[in-house]
Amino acid sequence: MNLIQKKIVCFKTNLLISRALSAGYQDPDSGGIITTKIGTPQGSVLSPLLANIVLNELDQYMDQFKQKFDVGKKRARNRAYDSLSSQIQNAQKVQNPDPKRIKALVLERRKLHSELPIDPNFKRLMYLRYADDFIVLVAGSHHDATLIKNRIKDVLYKKCGLNLNTDKTVISRTRDGFEFLGAFCVNPNTSNFLRPSK
């Protein structure tokens, strides 16, 4: 209500929202009215709108944080990959190229990225939110992901009055896959992701 009242000065509108928050909801099994002291009533038509108003604070913070976090234009080249590429080219230029050696070098090169997967001079962050479910994709180190998780926890508590469930919020590699909004995703090019799971 504090966030809403900063923008909406109409007493009647604020009163209507306040009453909607305290109205409660009907339990489908017992038929009784259930009221809560915090949050929005389950299934309320106002819940998504109010969630967006409150979580807009996090959206704005993440937008500013991303501008400072993102560095570098592109990842550095992987020297091991480039070395194998040179060896392949040299092996192909000789008068009698050895196809087995060339094939072995090509197979070895396929195991590597052409660019360094973790480059301290290249970092990227992507923040996606739908209602109260969000994900943060991080091209960076595990330390970066942990720092972002702690910053989000602070912003949610201090600016939104919400607690991040640290038991259900995970940091993991995207190549292992993750589920977001009912879709299973795998991204081998991003090193870490952060997602509060329900």
Side-chain angles (χ1 to χ4, degrees):
M1 287 305 298
N2 290 338
L3 289 171
I4 292 168
Q5 288 167 0
K6 284 180 185 177
K7 298 284 184 184
I8 300 173
V9 293
C10 175
F11 172 77
K12 288 184 179 181
T13 302
N14 288 326
L15 181 63
L16 181 64
I17 294 169
S18 180
R19 286 182 177 170
L21 287 171
S22 61
Y25 64 95
Q26 187 173 16
D27 184 292
D29 297 328
S30 68
I33 301 296
I34 298 173
T35 58
T36 58
K37 294 184 179 177
I38 58 171
T40 58
Q42 186 72 26
S44 168
V45 293
L46 278 180
S47 293
L49 174 65
L50 296 175
N52 281 331
I53 290 170
V54 171
L55 290 171
N56 183 54
E57 297 290 319
L58 177 63
D59 297 344
Q60 290 179 352
Y61 175 81
M62 292 303 292
D63 186 47
Q64 293 169 1
F65 187 83
K66 176 183 172 39
Q67 292 175 23
K68 294 175 189 171
F69 183 83
D70 289 359
V71 294
K73 295 197 178 210
K74 61 187 256 182
R75 287 185 171 98
R77 294 287 302 173
N78 186 342
R79 289 184 181 177
Y81 182 93
D82 290 343
S83 173
L84 286 169
S85 294
S86 294
Q87 290 177 49
I88 292 166
Q89 288 176 355
N90 291 335
Q92 291 170 336
K93 288 179 184 176
V94 297
Q95 273 193 343
N96 294 320
D98 181 1
K100 288 183 181 178
R101 178 168 160 29
I102 293 170
K103 184 176 181 180
L105 289 169
V106 169
L107 291 174
E108 188 66 27
R109 186 178 66 175
R110 284 184 184 164
K111 297 175 185 175
L112 302 174
H113 290 278
S114 62
E115 298 173 335
L116 292 176
I118 302 292
D119 177 2
N121 299 315
F122 179 85
K123 294 181 182 181
R124 289 291 183 271
L125 180 146
M126 182 186 293
Y127 164 75
L128 303 166
R129 181 177 69 80
Y130 181 81
D132 62 345
D133 201 3
F134 66 88
I135 187 167
V136 180
L137 298 167
V138 180
S141 66
H142 188 274
H143 178 268
D144 292 329
T146 303
L147 171 74
I148 293 165
K149 177 183 174 181
N150 291 334
R151 295 268 176 99
I152 288 172
K153 180 181 174 184
D154 289 345
V155 170
L156 285 174
Y157 183 74
K158 292 175 182 172
K159 293 192 172 190
C160 304
L162 300 171
N163 291 315
L164 181 69
N165 187 332
T166 53
D167 294 334
K168 292 184 177 180
T169 304
V170 296
I171 296 174
S172 183
R173 297 181 315 178
T174 56
R175 73 177 70 133
D176 298 334
F178 61 95
E179 190 176 318
F180 182 59
L181 301 176
F184 186 76
C185 310
V186 178
N187 183 355
N189 298 321
T190 309
S191 57
N192 291 298
F193 74 90
L194 165 67
R195 176 186 184 265
S197 58
K198 293 185 177 182

